[in-house]
Amino acid sequence: MTRPTPPRTTPSSPTTPRTTPPRPTDITTPFPELTPLARTTIRLHPRSGAPTPTDSSLGGPLLWPAQEPWPTCPDHTGPWHLGRAPEDIHQERRILREAWSRPRTPDEDLLTPDERTTLDRIGEATRIPQDGPLPLIPVLQLYAADAPDLPRPPGTDLLQLLWCPFDHDEDYLPAAELRWRTTADVTDPLTPTPRPAVIGNDEYLPEPCLLHPETVTEYPAPHELPASLADRIHAWEDQTGFHYQYDLSVAPGTKAAGHAPWSFSDPFPMACAECGAPVKPLLTLDGNEWDGGSGSWRPVEDAGYTGHHVDGPACETRLSFGRGYCMQIYVCTASYHHPHVQNMQ
Protein backbone atom coordinates (compact mmCIF):
# COMPACT_ATOMS: atom_id res chain seq x y z
CA MET A 1 0.00 0.00 0.00
CA THR A 2 1.71 3.20 -1.11
CA ARG A 3 1.22 6.60 0.44
CA PRO A 4 0.50 9.47 -1.94
CA THR A 5 2.95 12.32 -2.10
CA PRO A 6 1.64 15.23 0.03
CA PRO A 7 0.21 18.04 -2.09
CA ARG A 8 2.35 21.09 -2.73
CA THR A 9 1.48 24.72 -2.97
CA THR A 10 3.32 27.29 -5.06
CA PRO A 11 5.16 29.28 -3.99
CA SER A 12 6.51 26.97 -1.32
CA SER A 13 6.44 29.56 1.49
CA PRO A 14 3.81 32.10 2.52
CA THR A 15 6.53 34.44 3.75
CA THR A 16 7.53 37.64 2.00
CA PRO A 17 9.32 37.04 -1.32
CA ARG A 18 12.66 38.70 -2.02
CA THR A 19 13.11 41.27 -4.79
CA THR A 20 16.47 42.35 -6.21
CA PRO A 21 16.64 46.13 -6.73
CA PRO A 22 17.15 47.38 -10.31
CA ARG A 23 20.81 47.60 -11.29
CA PRO A 24 22.36 51.06 -10.80
CA THR A 25 22.64 51.43 -14.57
CA ASP A 26 22.03 49.44 -17.77
CA ILE A 27 25.51 48.23 -18.59
CA THR A 28 24.52 47.29 -22.14
CA THR A 29 24.01 50.94 -23.08
CA PRO A 30 27.70 51.88 -22.93
CA PHE A 31 28.76 48.31 -23.81
CA PRO A 32 26.24 46.71 -26.21
CA GLU A 33 28.65 43.84 -26.83
CA LEU A 34 27.63 42.51 -23.41
CA THR A 35 24.04 41.93 -24.57
CA PRO A 36 24.61 38.46 -26.10
CA LEU A 37 26.58 37.45 -22.99
CA ALA A 38 23.62 37.98 -20.63
CA ARG A 39 22.30 34.96 -18.73
CA THR A 40 19.45 34.44 -16.34
CA THR A 41 20.26 33.19 -12.88
CA ILE A 42 17.88 32.12 -10.13
CA ARG A 43 18.71 33.82 -6.85
CA LEU A 44 17.39 31.45 -4.20
CA HIS A 45 17.23 33.86 -1.25
CA PRO A 46 17.35 31.29 1.60
CA ARG A 47 15.70 32.52 4.79
CA SER A 48 15.30 30.76 8.13
CA GLY A 49 12.17 28.61 8.34
CA ALA A 50 10.69 25.20 8.99
CA PRO A 51 10.66 23.50 5.57
CA THR A 52 8.92 20.21 4.85
CA PRO A 53 9.76 17.65 2.15
CA THR A 54 7.29 19.38 -0.17
CA ASP A 55 9.10 22.74 0.07
CA SER A 56 11.99 24.16 -1.88
CA SER A 57 14.58 24.50 0.85
CA LEU A 58 18.20 24.69 1.90
CA GLY A 59 19.02 22.44 4.84
CA GLY A 60 15.48 21.05 4.93
CA PRO A 61 14.16 17.48 4.54
CA LEU A 62 14.13 15.93 1.07
CA LEU A 63 11.33 14.22 -0.81
CA TRP A 64 12.98 10.79 -1.10
CA PRO A 65 11.58 7.47 -2.36
CA ALA A 66 11.44 4.87 0.42
CA GLN A 67 12.75 2.18 -1.95
CA GLU A 68 15.86 4.17 -2.92
CA PRO A 69 18.95 3.74 -0.70
CA TRP A 70 20.09 6.90 1.03
CA PRO A 71 23.58 7.87 -0.19
CA THR A 72 26.56 7.52 2.13
CA CYS A 73 30.21 8.57 2.03
CA PRO A 74 32.56 5.68 1.23
CA ASP A 75 35.47 7.60 2.80
CA HIS A 76 33.80 7.83 6.22
CA THR A 77 32.65 4.43 7.44
CA GLY A 78 33.25 4.54 11.20
CA PRO A 79 33.29 3.14 13.80
CA TRP A 80 33.85 6.74 14.97
CA HIS A 81 34.84 10.13 13.61
CA LEU A 82 36.26 13.29 15.13
CA GLY A 83 33.68 16.05 14.97
CA ARG A 84 30.55 17.45 16.59
CA ALA A 85 26.99 16.26 16.92
CA PRO A 86 24.67 18.16 14.55
CA GLU A 87 22.25 19.01 17.35
CA ASP A 88 25.09 20.63 19.31
CA ILE A 89 26.01 22.81 16.33
CA HIS A 90 22.40 23.96 15.92
CA GLN A 91 22.14 24.66 19.66
CA GLU A 92 25.34 26.72 19.63
CA ARG A 93 23.99 28.82 16.76
CA ARG A 94 20.68 29.38 18.56
CA ILE A 95 22.47 30.57 21.68
CA LEU A 96 24.68 32.98 19.75
CA ARG A 97 21.78 34.26 17.65
CA GLU A 98 19.73 35.00 20.76
CA ALA A 99 22.73 36.61 22.45
CA TRP A 100 23.38 38.95 19.52
CA SER A 101 19.71 39.96 19.42
CA ARG A 102 19.57 41.00 23.11
CA PRO A 103 20.10 44.65 24.05
CA ARG A 104 23.09 45.13 26.32
CA THR A 105 25.36 47.84 27.63
CA PRO A 106 28.87 48.31 26.16
CA ASP A 107 30.49 46.66 29.18
CA GLU A 108 27.99 43.81 29.47
CA ASP A 109 29.04 40.29 28.44
CA LEU A 110 27.51 38.89 25.27
CA LEU A 111 26.73 35.56 26.95
CA THR A 112 25.09 34.70 30.25
CA PRO A 113 27.08 32.39 32.57
CA ASP A 114 24.75 29.47 31.71
CA GLU A 115 25.16 30.11 27.99
CA ARG A 116 28.93 30.22 28.28
CA THR A 117 28.94 26.96 30.26
CA THR A 118 26.80 25.29 27.60
CA LEU A 119 29.01 26.51 24.74
CA ASP A 120 32.13 25.32 26.55
CA ARG A 121 30.54 21.89 26.94
CA ILE A 122 29.32 21.42 23.36
CA GLY A 123 31.86 23.47 21.43
CA GLU A 124 34.77 21.05 21.11
CA ALA A 125 35.18 18.28 18.55
CA THR A 126 35.18 14.80 20.09
CA ARG A 127 35.17 11.18 18.98
CA ILE A 128 31.59 10.35 18.08
CA PRO A 129 30.52 6.79 17.17
CA GLN A 130 29.06 6.31 13.70
CA ASP A 131 27.44 2.98 12.97
CA GLY A 132 28.29 2.08 9.38
CA PRO A 133 28.94 4.48 6.48
CA LEU A 134 28.23 8.15 7.15
CA PRO A 135 24.89 9.27 5.65
CA LEU A 136 25.10 12.36 3.47
CA ILE A 137 23.22 15.39 4.73
CA PRO A 138 20.43 17.09 2.75
CA VAL A 139 21.62 20.47 1.50
CA LEU A 140 19.27 21.81 -1.16
CA GLN A 141 15.95 20.91 -2.75
CA LEU A 142 14.52 23.01 -5.57
CA TYR A 143 11.18 22.35 -7.24
CA ALA A 144 10.77 23.50 -10.84
CA ALA A 145 7.29 24.72 -9.85
CA ASP A 146 9.06 27.35 -7.73
CA ALA A 147 11.81 28.02 -10.28
CA PRO A 148 10.50 27.45 -13.83
CA ASP A 149 13.80 28.64 -15.34
CA LEU A 150 15.75 25.86 -13.62
CA PRO A 151 17.84 23.96 -16.20
CA ARG A 152 17.03 20.26 -15.83
CA PRO A 153 16.76 16.94 -17.66
CA PRO A 154 13.53 16.49 -19.66
CA GLY A 155 10.70 15.08 -17.59
CA THR A 156 12.16 16.01 -14.21
CA ASP A 157 10.85 18.70 -11.89
CA LEU A 158 12.99 18.43 -8.75
CA LEU A 159 16.69 19.00 -8.08
CA GLN A 160 18.30 17.70 -4.87
CA LEU A 161 21.80 18.19 -3.49
CA LEU A 162 23.41 16.20 -0.66
CA TRP A 163 26.97 16.11 0.62
CA CYS A 164 29.36 14.65 3.17
CA PRO A 165 29.90 17.15 6.03
CA PHE A 166 33.67 16.53 6.07
CA ASP A 167 36.44 18.11 4.02
CA HIS A 168 37.63 15.95 1.14
CA ASP A 169 41.27 16.29 0.21
CA GLU A 170 40.84 16.54 -3.56
CA ASP A 171 39.32 20.05 -3.40
CA TYR A 172 38.85 20.80 0.32
CA LEU A 173 35.11 20.86 -0.20
CA PRO A 174 32.34 18.48 0.86
CA ALA A 175 31.86 15.55 -1.52
CA ALA A 176 28.47 16.23 -3.11
CA GLU A 177 25.84 14.21 -4.95
CA LEU A 178 23.01 15.45 -7.20
CA ARG A 179 19.62 13.84 -7.74
CA TRP A 180 17.06 14.73 -10.42
CA ARG A 181 13.51 13.56 -9.80
CA THR A 182 10.00 13.51 -11.14
CA THR A 183 7.90 14.23 -8.07
CA ALA A 184 4.90 12.26 -9.35
CA ASP A 185 7.07 9.12 -9.17
CA VAL A 186 7.64 9.49 -5.43
CA THR A 187 4.51 7.75 -4.17
CA ASP A 188 6.04 6.34 -0.96
CA PRO A 189 8.27 8.99 0.67
CA LEU A 190 10.98 7.97 3.12
CA THR A 191 10.34 9.34 6.63
CA PRO A 192 12.40 10.01 8.57
CA THR A 193 15.50 10.20 6.40
CA PRO A 194 18.91 9.10 7.73
CA ARG A 195 21.14 11.66 9.38
CA PRO A 196 24.82 11.40 10.38
CA ALA A 197 25.76 11.24 14.05
CA VAL A 198 28.80 13.47 13.51
CA ILE A 199 29.67 16.57 11.48
CA GLY A 200 33.31 17.05 10.54
CA ASN A 201 33.10 20.71 9.47
CA ASP A 202 30.51 22.91 11.19
CA GLU A 203 30.38 25.23 8.17
CA TYR A 204 29.01 22.44 5.96
CA LEU A 205 25.88 21.98 8.11
CA PRO A 206 23.19 24.40 6.85
CA GLU A 207 20.48 25.86 9.00
CA PRO A 208 16.96 24.96 7.73
CA CYS A 209 15.85 27.66 5.30
CA LEU A 210 12.96 28.16 2.91
CA LEU A 211 13.84 29.39 -0.57
CA HIS A 212 12.34 32.37 -2.37
CA PRO A 213 13.54 31.90 -5.98
CA GLU A 214 13.84 34.99 -8.16
CA THR A 215 15.12 35.14 -11.75
CA VAL A 216 17.47 38.01 -12.58
CA THR A 217 19.84 38.89 -15.42
CA GLU A 218 23.59 38.91 -14.98
CA TYR A 219 26.73 39.31 -17.08
CA PRO A 220 30.14 37.60 -17.01
CA ALA A 221 32.65 38.40 -14.30
CA PRO A 222 35.37 40.75 -15.57
CA HIS A 223 37.81 37.83 -15.46
CA GLU A 224 35.88 36.18 -18.32
CA LEU A 225 35.70 39.18 -20.63
CA PRO A 226 38.13 39.88 -23.47
CA ALA A 227 41.01 41.98 -22.14
CA SER A 228 40.19 44.93 -24.37
CA LEU A 229 36.57 45.03 -23.18
CA ALA A 230 37.59 44.63 -19.53
CA ASP A 231 40.03 47.54 -19.91
CA ARG A 232 37.34 49.76 -21.43
CA ILE A 233 34.93 48.89 -18.64
CA HIS A 234 37.60 49.70 -16.06
CA ALA A 235 38.16 53.12 -17.64
CA TRP A 236 34.38 53.70 -17.71
CA GLU A 237 34.22 52.84 -14.00
CA ASP A 238 36.81 55.50 -13.24
CA GLN A 239 34.76 58.06 -15.15
CA THR A 240 31.30 57.19 -13.81
CA GLY A 241 31.82 55.77 -10.31
CA PHE A 242 29.92 52.58 -11.15
CA HIS A 243 31.47 49.21 -10.28
CA TYR A 244 30.96 46.48 -12.84
CA GLN A 245 32.19 43.49 -10.83
CA TYR A 246 30.20 44.13 -7.67
CA ASP A 247 27.06 45.80 -8.98
CA LEU A 248 26.54 44.96 -12.66
CA SER A 249 27.92 41.51 -13.46
CA VAL A 250 27.46 38.34 -11.37
CA ALA A 251 24.80 38.20 -8.66
CA PRO A 252 26.16 37.16 -5.25
CA GLY A 253 24.62 34.59 -2.95
CA THR A 254 23.24 31.09 -3.40
CA LYS A 255 21.78 30.68 -6.88
CA ALA A 256 21.09 28.30 -9.77
CA ALA A 257 22.45 28.60 -13.34
CA GLY A 258 23.82 31.96 -14.51
CA HIS A 259 27.49 32.92 -14.65
CA ALA A 260 30.32 31.67 -12.46
CA PRO A 261 31.48 34.04 -9.69
CA TRP A 262 35.20 33.97 -10.44
CA SER A 263 37.09 35.75 -7.70
CA PHE A 264 40.57 34.85 -6.47
CA SER A 265 41.63 32.96 -9.60
CA ASP A 266 41.24 33.52 -13.31
CA PRO A 267 38.85 31.23 -15.20
CA PHE A 268 40.36 27.93 -16.28
CA PRO A 269 39.05 25.22 -18.60
CA MET A 270 36.78 22.62 -17.01
CA ALA A 271 35.35 19.60 -18.79
CA CYS A 272 33.22 16.58 -18.03
CA ALA A 273 35.40 13.74 -16.73
CA GLU A 274 33.22 11.17 -18.50
CA CYS A 275 32.91 12.55 -22.03
CA GLY A 276 35.11 15.65 -22.22
CA ALA A 277 32.25 18.00 -23.08
CA PRO A 278 32.20 21.53 -21.64
CA VAL A 279 30.45 22.08 -18.32
CA LYS A 280 28.09 24.88 -17.26
CA PRO A 281 27.21 26.36 -13.85
CA LEU A 282 24.29 24.65 -12.12
CA LEU A 283 24.55 25.77 -8.48
CA THR A 284 26.50 28.30 -6.48
CA LEU A 285 26.44 27.88 -2.69
CA ASP A 286 27.44 31.02 -0.83
CA GLY A 287 27.33 31.75 2.89
CA ASN A 288 26.57 35.44 2.30
CA GLU A 289 23.81 36.80 0.09
CA TRP A 290 25.54 40.15 -0.13
CA ASP A 291 28.48 41.91 1.49
CA GLY A 292 30.06 45.33 1.63
CA GLY A 293 31.19 45.12 -1.98
CA SER A 294 27.88 43.87 -3.36
CA GLY A 295 25.37 45.75 -1.21
CA SER A 296 23.34 46.88 -4.21
CA TRP A 297 22.13 43.25 -4.57
CA ARG A 298 20.52 43.34 -1.11
CA PRO A 299 16.80 42.57 -1.59
CA VAL A 300 14.33 45.40 -1.22
CA GLU A 301 12.63 43.56 1.64
CA ASP A 302 15.91 43.55 3.60
CA ALA A 303 16.72 47.22 3.03
CA GLY A 304 16.72 48.00 6.75
CA TYR A 305 19.43 45.48 7.52
CA THR A 306 23.06 46.56 7.30
CA GLY A 307 24.96 44.22 9.65
CA HIS A 308 26.46 40.79 9.17
CA HIS A 309 25.95 39.14 12.57
CA VAL A 310 24.67 35.61 12.98
CA ASP A 311 21.08 36.82 13.32
CA GLY A 312 20.93 38.62 9.97
CA PRO A 313 19.25 37.64 6.68
CA ALA A 314 22.47 37.91 4.66
CA CYS A 315 23.92 34.77 6.23
CA GLU A 316 21.09 32.65 7.61
CA THR A 317 22.31 29.42 6.02
CA ARG A 318 25.51 29.48 8.14
CA LEU A 319 27.41 27.86 5.27
CA SER A 320 31.00 28.83 4.52
CA PHE A 321 33.71 27.50 2.20
CA GLY A 322 37.39 28.17 2.60
CA ARG A 323 37.91 31.79 3.61
CA GLY A 324 34.40 32.91 2.86
CA TYR A 325 34.32 31.78 -0.77
CA CYS A 326 31.63 30.00 -2.82
CA MET A 327 31.18 26.36 -3.73
CA GLN A 328 30.26 25.94 -7.39
CA ILE A 329 28.73 22.88 -9.01
CA TYR A 330 28.94 22.50 -12.78
CA VAL A 331 27.13 19.95 -14.94
CA CYS A 332 28.02 18.45 -18.30
CA THR A 333 26.47 20.17 -21.32
CA ALA A 334 26.03 16.79 -23.03
CA SER A 335 24.25 14.97 -20.17
CA TYR A 336 22.93 16.03 -16.79
CA HIS A 337 23.60 12.50 -15.57
CA HIS A 338 27.37 12.60 -16.06
CA PRO A 339 29.47 13.33 -12.94
CA HIS A 340 29.38 16.96 -11.90
CA VAL A 341 32.44 19.17 -11.39
CA GLN A 342 33.09 21.13 -8.18
CA ASN A 343 35.09 24.32 -7.73
CA MET A 344 35.73 26.91 -5.03
CA GLN A 345 35.84 30.64 -5.82
Side-chain angles (χ1 to χ4, degrees), residues 31 47 59 215 241 266 297:
F31 302 102
R47 295 294 184 273
T215 299
D266 290 331
W297 293 94

Side-chain angles (χ1 to χ4, degrees), residues 129-313:
Q130 175 65 57
D131 184 17
L134 190 80
L136 303 191
I137 61 173
V139 178
L140 185 138
Q141 175 166 269
L142 182 57
Y143 285 90
D146 296 325
D149 294 323
L150 175 68
R152 60 189 188 277
T156 64
D157 59 3
L158 179 61
L159 167 63
Q160 296 172 326
L161 170 69
L162 309 90
W163 64 39
C164 171
F166 281 77
D167 275 314
H168 283 248
D169 291 341
E170 56 268 24
D171 52 13
Y172 295 100
L173 287 170
E177 289 197 21
L178 294 173
R179 290 289 192 278
W180 300 96
R181 299 201 184 281
T182 303
T183 55
D185 293 342
V186 187
T187 58
D188 187 16
L190 177 64
T191 55
T193 56
R195 294 293 179 113
V198 55
I199 302 294
N201 187 327
D202 298 5
E203 295 175 334
Y204 296 162
L205 178 66
E207 286 294 298
C209 292
L210 289 162
L211 302 181
H212 305 83
E214 178 201 21
T215 299
V216 300
T217 300
E218 59 181 15
Y219 298 92
H223 314 60
E224 293 198 275
L225 297 176
S228 59
L229 176 56
D231 290 343
R232 287 168 49 218
I233 290 176
H234 182 67
W236 171 84
E237 289 175 322
D238 290 340
Q239 296 168 2
T240 63
F242 292 118
H243 202 299
Y244 175 77
Q245 179 172 357
Y246 292 127
D247 297 321
L248 304 170
S249 60
V250 182
T254 296
K255 62 179 188 173
H259 283 286
W262 295 100
S263 57
F264 63 82
S265 75
D266 290 331
F268 55 88
M270 289 186 287
C272 173
E274 184 162 326
C275 71
V279 294
K280 61 182 180 181
L282 175 68
L283 291 171
T284 299
L285 286 301
D286 191 343
N288 285 302
E289 185 160 324
W290 72 86
D291 57 27
S294 59
S296 73
W297 293 94
R298 180 178 56 203
V300 172
E301 294 80 6
D302 298 316
Y305 175 77
T306 58
H308 300 284
H309 293 315
V310 296
D311 61 335

